[in-house]
Amino acid sequence: MSISENISIIRRQIAEAAAAAGRDPADIQLCAATKMNDAEAVRQAVAAGIDCCGENRVQELTAKLSENAYQGAPVHFIGHLQTNKVKQVVGKVDLIQSVDSLRLLRAIDAEAARQGIRQDILLEVNISKEETKGGFPAEDILPLTESFSDFSNLRLRGLMAIPPISQNSGDNRKFFQEMYNLSVDITDKTSDNVSVNILSMGMSADFADAIACGSTMVRIGTAIFGRRDYTKKHST
Ligand SMILES: *Cc1c(COP(=O)(O)O)cnc(C)c1O
């Protein structure tokens, strides 16, 4: 199956999940998770009408930007970002979805100030409370949102989460529901640099559940590009 056929199928599944939840499918963006896929595959996904690309690794982002791989679609950063690499990401992407610590938040704010720009970000929430995973504890989100004017070079657009890989349909619903409740709590906290309308959650295995719980952006890799081959050495 081609990338564009896969995307048509996913669009149909998004529409079905939205209809089942009484939602408008236009309110759900499809972000193609492009890690380990080359510029040509990314171009095919963009041509097939995905809403944005999400890249995980700084090296891959830099390489694909230089190849104009994302041309025609916004590009987001969705992987763990080390503070010493913020220069390579801030101002180069439309949205940094994976801001997972206060230290990183401050580093991105400082780099945006240096560049004289305002960077859009999402706060990553460690909703499943996994020790090995980054992200803010859920209870930190509301206070952080209320004091977000401290980060005058950033604009907070919403929340993202990466719950555990689900084995069975329905596994992650409780996490998705908690994320939705959290996003509702902060949606009315609008200020000069807080404008929350993105809830990024749901991947290949569980995006229908995420949509049922209120996701506005699903990040899909495998179902678009096929399984990633981790044995292959990638050129980037
Ligand atoms: C890889 C990745 C995805 C997509 O995962 P699939 O299961 O391949 O759809 C989504 N979000 C993030 C942060 C990822 O790293």
Side-chain angles (χ1 to χ4, degrees), residues 31-35 54-56 77-80 97-98 124 160-162 165 200 202-207 218-228 230:
C31 178
T34 49
K35 60 173 172 278
E55 200 63 75
N56 279 76
F77 196 78
I78 63 173
H80 174 63
Q97 295 200 14
S98 42
E124 180 176 342
M160 86 83 102
I162 314 172
I165 303 291
S200 173
M203 318 206 309
S204 293
D206 56 17
F207 68 88
V218 294
R219 305 176 312 267
I220 313 265
T222 311
I224 293 177
F225 299 107
R227 287 185 59 181
R228 293 176 287 274
Y230 286 97

